Amino acid sequence: MCGILAVFGCIDNSQAKRSRIIELSRRLRHRGPDWSGLHCHGNCYLAHQRLAIVDPASGDQPLYNEDKTVIVTVNGEIYNHKQLREKLKSHQFRTGSDCEVIAHLYEEHGEEFVDMLDGMFSFVLLDTKDNSYIAARDAIGITPLYMGWGLDGSIWFASEMKALSDDCERFISFPPGHIYSSKQGGLRRWYNPPWFLEQTPSGSYDPIVLRKAFEKAVFKRLMTDVPFGVLLSGGLDSSLVAAVACRYLAESEAACQWGSQLHTFCIGLESSPDLKAAREVADYLGTRHHGFHFTVQEGIDALEEVIYHIETYDVTTIRASTPMFLMSRKIKSLGVKMVLSGEGSDEIFGGYLYFHKAPNKEEFHQETCQKIKALHLYDCLRANKSTSAWGVEARVPFLDKEFINIAMSIDPEWKMIRPDLGRIEKWVLRNAFDDVQKPYLPKHILYRQKEQFSDGVGYSWIDGLKDHANKQVTDAMLTHASFIYPENTPTTKEAYCYRTIFEKFFPKNAARSTVPGGPSVACSTAKAVEWDAAWSKNLDPSGRAALGIHSAAYEEAVDAKNKSSLSGSPKKLQGVGEKASAVV
């Protein structure tokens, strides 16, 4: 990942302003420690902090077209850049960077080229011929981008809020799948897939088509000129990423530079479910595995730094980001700069445990659509900023555009959890990789129950966070929380604790408005809380809050009704920890 900062329309274009832009850009240097660049054109500034993954030798940014009239600063990876270069043979390329195609595509197609890009990206482009500019963000919001407005009429774009919050009166999270055009004067959505309308699809389920689409998504993300690995929790999603990467690594260009043995990484408390499960999967796949430990106190000590980097006060995100943040530091110390991770699968396939209670396929599908649309505020934000804090890039094959389109076209009846038919959560994905002749994973891993990252690293992690918050926040403080924090009022001491830290770093009203709120159980949307009346009494984001479903559900909250319904629940599977090493 890189860090970008762009400012247009400044009244002041003095040397002092240039120095201020450089100072603000330095706040993003953790994202791109390899090189810094700045281009100034009148009252326009484009700054870049580079993490060199592809073409480390010559791909410094900002990037240009042939006569340097088009300047672009990019954070991301364009996986189909070689195919795009073939269509741009009349253009002269200066570097081997995958992002340089953006400048030349703009020359050929104007603003209507963004959908041609296959990858994850946030970019800002300046056309000096007419001083117009555009900014765009990838389809799902894998890479972060913020947009702000200064009192002097300037417009700002930055990878992280910390680079523009002090100098902008108002700022927002740039919406995924959108483009901003100075010519047209506003935002418009460039990403318009069929599933976005949330109408129930009726497509057939072909496990081979689904499997091949995912294998293709993983393979294209092996594009790298630096050491890399896979975040492996031992749960379904991360294990499939690792299994496919292992199977196809030898065919990739990366294997020529870094060998054909995959490195995998996991983190957890001592004796955590994930560490055990990840080791088992790593041994099965033959990876070079690195299991890291942390203590509850080490996690608590890192909370302030974590919240500063991830820029949210959402409880679920902070719980899961802290172990991922600590693990990313360890990974970087080994010289690794890029990792594959498993985010997105639970949203696409209804993998969270609360989906067991979906009343019908229509609501099931609508919930998956809403979850995908909100990923940029939760799991994508966590995966990107937790790793970028230490100059590590996370790539997420489940959020491949083509794979999402195929998966979301399947009739959701196939995704519904049906114990009577032997279908547990994410059955369509599990079944697609259930190859008897050439197994991808052992059966008990392939059919292991879902666990959230913050749970899988060790249940005492969440309990430790709650204990810490209870010591920091008094009953009176929580009682009066609505007066101190009238917007998105914290309802637990843990939430109050995180909010206090967040406000210290980001005190403006605009900052707190970038964080979503509302009731949730086991990572559900507010609407899905209505699926079970008991959930409204136990609004906790942990997967254990899915009463009567998780094998470690909060026993004190399981009443007679839930116990009786357990007889119809799917059989509990071996293993208990998903989404643990930053991998889902």
Side-chain angles (χ1 to χ4, degrees):
M1 283 293 103
C2 301
I4 65 174
L5 172 64
V7 188
F8 300 100
C10 298
I11 292 177
D12 176 13
N13 61 355
S14 65
Q15 179 60 39
K17 189 65 175 183
R18 180 186 177 98
S19 298
R20 177 60 176 166
I21 299 298
I22 292 171
E23 177 189 347
L24 294 172
S25 180
R26 282 197 200 106
R27 297 184 184 181
L28 303 173
R29 187 162 291 175
H30 54 275
R31 298 184 60 87
D34 296 333
W35 197 250
S36 303
L38 174 64
H39 182 95
C40 302
H41 178 78
N43 60 1
C44 305
Y45 300 85
L46 288 86
H48 191 268
Q49 301 288 342
R50 187 185 186 204
L51 180 68
I53 302 290
V54 174
D55 185 28
S58 69
D60 293 339
Q61 295 196 37
L63 296 161
Y64 304 89
N65 66 336
E66 291 88 341
D67 61 5
K68 292 194 173 184
T69 57
V70 175
I71 305 103
V72 62
T73 181
V74 190
N75 167 36
E77 303 292 341
I78 310 302
Y79 303 122
N80 64 335
H81 74 106
K82 290 184 178 179
Q83 295 93 314
L84 292 172
R85 281 176 182 246
E86 287 297 311
K87 299 176 182 178
L88 296 165
K89 287 191 173 179
S90 62
H91 291 263
Q92 180 182 351
F93 284 80
R94 298 170 181 273
T95 75
S97 168
D98 54 294
C99 295
E100 190 179 348
V101 293
I102 292 174
H104 301 297
L105 286 170
Y106 172 78
E107 287 186 290
E108 288 288 326
H109 304 281
E111 297 178 356
E112 307 304 320
F113 70 89
V114 183
D115 198 29
M116 298 171 67
L117 302 174
D118 181 8
M120 56 177 185
F121 54 83
S122 296
F123 70 81
V124 182
L125 180 150
L126 171 64
D127 185 342
T128 61
K129 292 188 291 293
D130 58 6
N131 278 346
S132 64
Y133 55 90
I134 59 174
R137 190 177 183 187
D138 66 64
I140 306 299
I142 301 166
T143 60
L145 187 64
Y146 293 84
M147 180 178 183
W149 295 265
L151 288 173
D152 62 351
S154 57
I155 296 184
W156 298 57
F157 301 92
S159 294
E160 294 184 5
M161 192 161 55
K162 58 182 66 66
L164 53 68
S165 58
D166 289 346
D167 291 53
C168 291
E169 187 65 17
R170 181 169 176 262
F171 46 91
I172 61 171
S173 175
F174 194 100
H178 279 69
I179 180 172
Y180 176 85
S181 165
S182 65
K183 287 180 181 178
Q184 299 192 20
L187 289 157
R188 68 180 187 273
R189 198 169 73 230
W190 64 263
Y191 179 57
N192 297 285
W195 64 265
F196 210 86
L197 298 175
E198 300 184 19
Q199 296 172 350
T200 307
S202 57
S204 60
Y205 165 54
D206 187 329
I208 303 303
V209 169
L210 189 67
R211 181 203 297 177
K212 288 186 175 179
F214 184 66
E215 289 178 327
K216 182 179 177 183
V218 172
F219 184 75
K220 73 174 69 167
R221 282 162 179 78
L222 298 178
M223 177 186 82
T224 178
D225 293 325
V226 298
F228 68 99
V230 172
L231 304 178
L232 177 63
S233 69
L236 174 68
D237 306 327
S238 60
S239 298
L240 285 178
V241 173
V244 173
C246 279
R247 190 164 290 199
Y248 291 97
L249 179 57
E251 301 175 19
S252 71
E253 293 181 9
C256 299
Q257 295 186 69
W258 311 110
S260 57
Q261 186 179 29
L262 187 70
H263 287 255
T264 51
F265 309 95
C266 183
I267 193 168
L269 302 176
E270 201 73 48
S271 303
S272 75
D274 282 352
L275 285 173
K276 179 182 177 184
R279 171 59 67 181
E280 182 181 5
V281 174
D283 289 345
Y284 178 83
L285 297 175
T287 71
R288 185 168 180 181
H289 188 64
H290 310 265
F292 306 121
H293 297 86
F294 77 104
T295 66
V296 171
Q297 190 59 54
E298 286 172 333
I300 290 170
D301 290 343
L303 281 175
E304 287 212 6
E305 199 174 3
V306 168
I307 292 171
Y308 171 75
H309 278 289
I310 65 174
E311 303 180 323
T312 186
Y313 50 83
D314 176 69
V315 171
T316 316
T317 306
I318 294 168
R319 286 177 177 180
S321 293
T322 306
M324 195 172 189
F325 173 86
L326 296 173
M327 178 176 56
S328 297
R329 187 176 190 180
K330 292 278 193 181
I331 289 172
K332 188 59 182 286
S333 73
L334 297 174
V336 171
K337 295 173 72 173
M338 186 274 281
V339 291
L340 303 186
S341 191
E343 280 73 20
S345 172
D346 292 313
E347 288 73 16
I348 294 168
F349 296 105
Y352 293 107
L353 295 179
Y354 72 88
F355 276 94
H356 281 252
K357 300 292 182 111
N360 52 60
K361 70 177 186 179
E362 289 79 16
E363 289 197 45
F364 187 106
H365 181 70
Q366 289 169 7
E367 178 73 2
T368 59
C369 293
Q370 290 292 324
K371 291 292 292 180
I372 296 171
K373 290 177 183 179
L375 268 168
H376 68 290
L377 299 171
Y378 297 103
D379 283 19
C380 286
L381 178 149
R382 165 182 57 78
N384 183 282
K385 292 183 180 178
S386 297
T387 53
S388 293
W390 299 106
V392 176
E393 175 175 289
R395 298 180 180 177
V396 282
F398 279 108
L399 296 181
D400 180 83
K401 275 198 303 183
E402 183 181 349
F403 179 75
I404 291 176
N405 286 340
I406 290 171
M408 293 302 288
S409 70
I410 299 170
D411 188 327
E413 186 66 42
W414 286 99
K415 297 181 183 179
M416 292 281 286
I417 292 118
R418 291 286 303 274
D420 56 320
L421 298 177
R423 295 182 193 166
I424 64 170
E425 64 273 359
K426 293 189 286 194
W427 177 84
V428 293
L429 180 63
R430 301 175 197 270
N431 181 64
F433 284 89
D434 195 350
D435 189 333
V436 177
Q437 267 71 43
K438 197 176 178 184
Y440 287 78
L441 294 167
K443 284 271 191 182
H444 66 278
I445 293 292
L446 193 60
Y447 290 94
R448 182 187 180 204
Q449 187 179 38
K450 163 73 187 165
E451 188 90 36
Q452 265 141 246
F453 181 22
S454 48
D455 287 337
V457 297
Y459 290 135
S460 57
W461 167 234
I462 291 175
D463 297 334
L465 288 173
K466 290 180 176 180
D467 290 342
H468 171 71
N470 286 334
K471 295 172 185 174
Q472 303 298 312
V473 181
T474 66
D475 293 342
M477 291 164 71
L478 187 61
T479 300
H480 300 138
S482 61
F483 298 101
I484 305 297
Y485 303 120
E487 183 180 351
N488 271 356
T489 304
T491 57
T492 67
K493 291 185 177 181
E494 186 183 4
Y496 192 106
C497 182
Y498 301 155
R499 182 63 172 273
T500 303
I501 298 171
F502 177 88
E503 296 271 348
K504 182 172 73 171
F505 293 124
F506 308 105
K508 289 188 176 179
N509 289 333
R512 66 183 67 102
S513 296
T514 63
V515 181
S520 175
V521 63
C523 293
S524 75
T525 65
K527 174 66 176 174
V529 173
E530 301 171 8
W531 291 350
D532 191 310
W535 289 348
S536 62
K537 302 172 185 176
N538 191 42
L539 295 175
D540 190 284
S542 168
R544 290 180 289 168
L547 306 181
I549 296 170
H550 192 281
S551 54
Y554 298 125
E555 294 180 3
E556 66 274 14
V558 181
D559 57 20
K561 177 188 171 186
N562 289 327
K563 287 180 180 176
S564 66
S565 69
L566 273 173
S567 60
S569 294
K571 188 174 159 189
K572 298 215 175 34
L573 308 166
Q574 296 179 11
V576 260
E578 238 278 73
K579 242 181 196 174
S581 48
V583 152
V584 257

